């Protein structure tokens, strides 16, 4: 008989809690996810599972895949909007404890939970060039590999040599040829996969040169993007040959507000949480901005951020 996917609530919840509790020390029920995402919006997870070692991660993911339990992966949560209803599935958070960095010549290997700015600093100290663009991107390495995060005309696809990825049929080493990289996307966004580790190929330079470039780009970021209020970075993907922020600005979107969500006055492709925004506010504002740009320029903007959980259709 074909195996049925396990539902988390109500039947499978106790099983999942018991089984995951055996292989992972940190399993929390009904954890508010707003504490785990940069936007500071969103409801609870049925179960939040936080593996703190390679062994725990492997055991958790193997069990989830084997039992076909639905789950969502979270890194630093800086590119997501989580529904106010939360996530009716297991949320697997990859961060502390899975953040070891190893330098070997001009290659850096790190676990998926390593912070990208931390990694960029470690490389700079060794005089390794290639990650300067990443110093200001609030990301885990895993999230950055999946999203092909980038800035200043550079992106992860230029430095990723390989990624160790857990999939339903086991562990795979993916290379740029199989990662399907393009602007802010990879094949990992389309299939069940958990990035456990990645190796980056950098170039030898001097720490002075690398540090200077890093500081220039950090200063540019500070001058052109909102620093401070919670956000998820750029909301929309740039349409071919243009910038979503430019279109939103020209369409009069800056400052537009729904509830506690506001289009940033500093950078029109950012929505900021002015204090009491809900995920519903954020999504309603996204629709408003999209309608504005479509009306003025005939361009349909596509979200760059990932909406997790259930949202009302537009
Ligand atoms: C202030 C600010 C500035 C930003 N600036 C930039 C920028 O300049 N350039 C840019 O590209 N982005 C930027 N971002 C967006 C964000 O930092 C990137 O998209 C980043 O790559 C997200 O990493 P994360 O660890 O937070 O991933 P999350 O937001 O936690 O997850 C993003 C996606 O990746 C998946 N995922 C995360 N980790 C894993 C894993 N280990 N295995 C499998 N799937 C995983 C998640 O399921 C989700 O679909 C910015 C965000 C903020 C808040």
């Amino acid at each position: 008989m074909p195996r049925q996917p396990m539902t988390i609530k109500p039947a499978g919840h106790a099983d999942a809690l018991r089984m995951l509790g055996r292989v992972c020390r940190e399993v929390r029920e009904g954890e508010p996810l707003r504490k785990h995402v940069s936007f500071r919006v969103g409801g609870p997870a049925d179960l939040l599972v936080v593996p703190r070692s390679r062994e725990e991660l492997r055991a958790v993911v193997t069990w989830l895949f084997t039992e076909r339990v639905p789950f969502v992966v979270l890194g630093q949560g800086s590119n997501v909007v989580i529904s106010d209803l939360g996530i009716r599935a297991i949320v697997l958070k990859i961060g502390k404890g899975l953040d070891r960095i190893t330098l070997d010549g001009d290659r850096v290997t790190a676990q998926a939970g390593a912070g990208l700015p931390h990694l960029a600093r470690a490389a700079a100290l060794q005089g390794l060039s290639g990650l300067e663009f990443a110093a200001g991107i609030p990301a885990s390495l895993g999230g950055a590999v999946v999203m092909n995060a980038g800035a200043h005309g550079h992106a992860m696809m230029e430095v990723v040599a390989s990624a160790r990825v857990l999939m339903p049929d086991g562990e795979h080493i993916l290379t740029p040829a199989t990662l399907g990289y393009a602007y802010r996307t990879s094949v990992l966004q389309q299939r069940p996969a958990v990035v456990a580790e990645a190796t980056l190929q950098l170039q030898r330079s001097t720490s002075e040169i690398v540090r200077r470039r890093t500081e220039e780009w950090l200063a540019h970021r500070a001058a052109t993007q909102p620093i401070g209020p919670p956000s998820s970075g750029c909301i929309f993907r740039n349409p071919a040959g243009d910038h979503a922020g430019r279109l939103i600005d020209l369409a009069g979107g800056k400052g537009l507000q729904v509830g506690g969500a506001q289009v940033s006055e500093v950078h029109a492709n950012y929505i900021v949480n002015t204090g009491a925004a809900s995920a519903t506010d954020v999504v309603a504002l996204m629709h408003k901005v999209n309608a504005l740009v479509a009306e003025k320029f005939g361009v349909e903007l596509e979200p760059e951020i990932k909406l997790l959980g259930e949202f009302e259709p537009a």
Side-chain angles (χ1 to χ4, degrees):
M1 218 174 78
R3 196 173 200 159
Q4 292 299 313
M6 182 175 162
T7 51
I8 295 302
K9 266 191 168 172
H13 183 78
D15 281 354
L17 184 59
R18 194 177 59 250
M19 290 307 298
L20 290 169
R22 278 188 202 157
V23 294
C24 182
R25 279 161 291 174
E26 200 171 332
V27 181
R28 299 186 215 162
E29 283 184 274
E31 174 76 1
L33 290 172
R34 77 173 67 81
K35 297 199 297 192
H36 300 274
V37 300
S38 59
F39 232 136
R40 299 285 176 258
V41 299
D46 276 358
L47 290 181
L48 179 75
V49 185
V50 192
R52 300 288 189 191
S53 69
R54 187 178 164 149
E55 294 69 35
E56 284 192 351
L57 176 66
R58 192 190 299 254
V60 166
V61 174
T62 301
W63 186 80
L64 292 169
F65 280 143
T66 308
E67 297 299 323
R68 300 207 225 159
V69 177
F71 70 99
V72 168
V73 188
L74 213 53
Q76 290 195 1
S78 55
N79 200 50
V80 296
V81 177
I82 293 187
S83 157
D84 295 321
L85 301 172
I87 297 184
R88 300 283 70 77
I90 287 174
V91 175
L92 174 64
K93 178 167 171 169
I94 299 184
K96 277 199 197 105
L98 286 166
D99 51 1
R100 201 185 56 239
I101 298 174
T102 312
L103 293 146
D104 179 15
D106 50 10
R107 287 196 157 205
V108 181
T109 297
Q111 290 177 298
L116 201 59
H118 183 60
L119 208 50
R121 266 196 309 278
L125 279 173
Q126 297 299 315
L128 292 173
S129 173
L131 265 188
E132 296 91 320
F133 75 89
I137 302 179
S140 66
L141 176 61
V145 166
V146 170
M147 291 301 305
N148 188 20
H152 313 287
H154 297 277
M156 292 303 291
M157 61 188 285
E158 295 166 32
V159 291
V160 173
S162 64
R164 192 163 59 77
V165 183
L166 310 176
M167 294 192 197
D169 61 347
E171 188 173 306
H172 295 262
I173 303 292
L174 299 193
T175 59
T178 48
L179 279 162
Y181 271 139
Y183 167 64
R184 299 295 175 269
T185 191
S186 70
V187 294
L188 300 170
Q189 293 182 25
Q190 278 112 50
R191 61 175 64 161
V194 178
V195 177
E197 190 181 274
T199 296
L200 310 180
Q201 175 68 60
L202 304 176
Q203 287 92 45
R204 195 141 285 292
S205 178
T206 69
S207 45
E208 182 49 37
I209 293 172
V210 176
R211 214 176 41 238
R212 204 175 323 122
R213 190 175 301 134
T214 303
E215 277 163 16
E216 271 170 29
W217 283 346
L218 284 175
H220 181 262
R221 180 177 284 271
T224 55
Q225 295 173 19
I227 308 285
S231 78
S232 270
C234 287
I235 293 288
F236 296 103
R237 294 163 59 84
N238 286 325
D242 211 329
H243 287 94
R246 189 188 82 87
L247 297 178
I248 298 167
D249 191 3
L250 289 178
K254 268 190 179 171
L256 211 63
Q257 195 154 356
V258 173
Q262 186 181 38
V263 176
S264 167
E265 296 278 5
V266 182
H267 189 313
N269 198 16
Y270 274 60
I271 289 178
V272 295
N273 180 351
T274 60
S278 63
T280 309
D281 293 342
V282 174
V283 172
L285 185 54
M286 285 172 68
H287 290 317
K288 229 172 164 173
V289 167
N290 218 336
L292 207 62
V293 170
E295 190 186 309
K296 177 103 179 170
F297 299 107
V299 174
E300 188 76 26
L301 295 175
E302 285 175 37
E304 178 172 318
I305 54 163
K306 304 288 176 199
L307 302 183
L308 303 181
E310 281 181 28
F311 288 89
E312 294 287 328

